[in-house]
Amino acid sequence: MRFTDTLPTPPAEALAHSAQLAERIRNAIERNGGNIPFREFMQMALYEPGLGYYVAGLRKIGKEGDFITAPEISSLFSQCLANQCAQVLTELGGGDILELGAGSGVMAADILARLESLACLPEHYYILDLSPELRDRQRQTLQTNVPHLLERVVWLDALPAEPMRGVIVGNEVLDAMPVELFTLVNGERIIRQVEIQGDGFGLVEVAGDYTSEFNPNLPGWLGSMADVLKAGILLLIDYGYEQADYYHPDRSQGTLICHYQHRVHNNPLWYPGLQDITASVDFTAVAEAGADNGLELAGYTTQAAFLASSGLEELFMTALNTYPANQYKLAQQVRTLSLPSEMGDRFKVIALSKGFTPDLVGFRLADQRHRL
Ligand SMILES: C[S@@+](CC[C@H](N)C(=O)[O-])C[C@H]1O[C@@H](n2cnc3c(N)ncnc32)[C@H](O)[C@@H]1O
């Protein structure tokens, strides 16, 4: 991943796609009297039906896409998550898993394979994504990797109508939710607006030197998670900080970043629809919104500590014994997932529970709930 000021010119087909989405955004701005809140721009750039970054057919995740995620790096990651799921399913005497934003489907396949080896399969493995176009890719991955378990997988168009017992899991879902951008002016949060500037878009100028963001949908979203979960946990993995760190005076430009073909930059208004736009997660806000909705904070720690607590070393040794020729590759995967300079510290894991009180295995070695 490289930080850059210059981006390659997208191919003609991509430019035409972006122009179509830009036209829709321009119409929304005009309808709204000359500007729209940044959150609405981000919502359209990522999720506008048929055109948004996540809902149009472009390949985003993986080597040939724009960014790579932990389940794509190593199945050891998903196997650790499966170990945590196994504890919950065992304590509950069975149940279901619901994965939010399932990407290529590889995490679902690896979790199911591991749970099968532990004789702890969920009754159903539900998948809900705002990007229905990913379904074919997910089905293909599951068909190739775990064809005999495909019958347990159910794709949903909306959250289950009946509350479920088990685990709701989402890797890098929170960071893909639209955020409100604000600038502090005399201590007051001024919500930033996007306007048409020349052929593109710009932010309406505001005089202030501290800009950041927040996710206004978090309380509502956690409310719907609480409604869906009868008993079990919600397990979320993402990059982010505790609130004091998130809004640290030194972080005066916020956390918004964009990914295009493994390059990172900070202009979210560039070619809408072609790039990922993402903000780090304020985990204190997640815990608070969870508590307001009756979800108890059951664990919070770094990805490195969660993986170590969930049996990473043992899984690594098993993989080494099974595939000795992959020694270097496997060691490299563990380093990427765990080193503080890679994903180990920047990514956190939070668990919120309902009707489920046992201590969670994934937070055994280092529970940092007190930091939130
Ligand atoms: C960065 S991708 C991560 C994909 C996958 N979990 C992985 O780790 O490779 C974020 C995904 O979350 C989905 N998403 C965002 N908000 C969501 C929501 N409220 N419910 C379900 N999926 C959502 C997006 O459509 C996108 O597919």
Side-chain angles (χ1 to χ4, degrees), residues 264-284:
V264 185
H265 70 103
N266 59 10
N267 181 3
L269 307 179
W270 185 85
Y271 292 122
L274 299 191
Q275 62 171 352
D276 183 31
I277 309 172
T278 151
S280 292
V281 174
D282 170 356
F283 282 100
T284 307

Side-chain angles (χ1 to χ4, degrees), residues 138-139 142-143 146-155:
Q138 291 158 0
R139 189 182 292 280
L142 286 151
Q143 177 68 51
V146 286
H148 57 297
L149 300 177
L150 195 55
E151 63 188 17
R152 286 177 195 261
V153 183
V154 181
W155 279 268

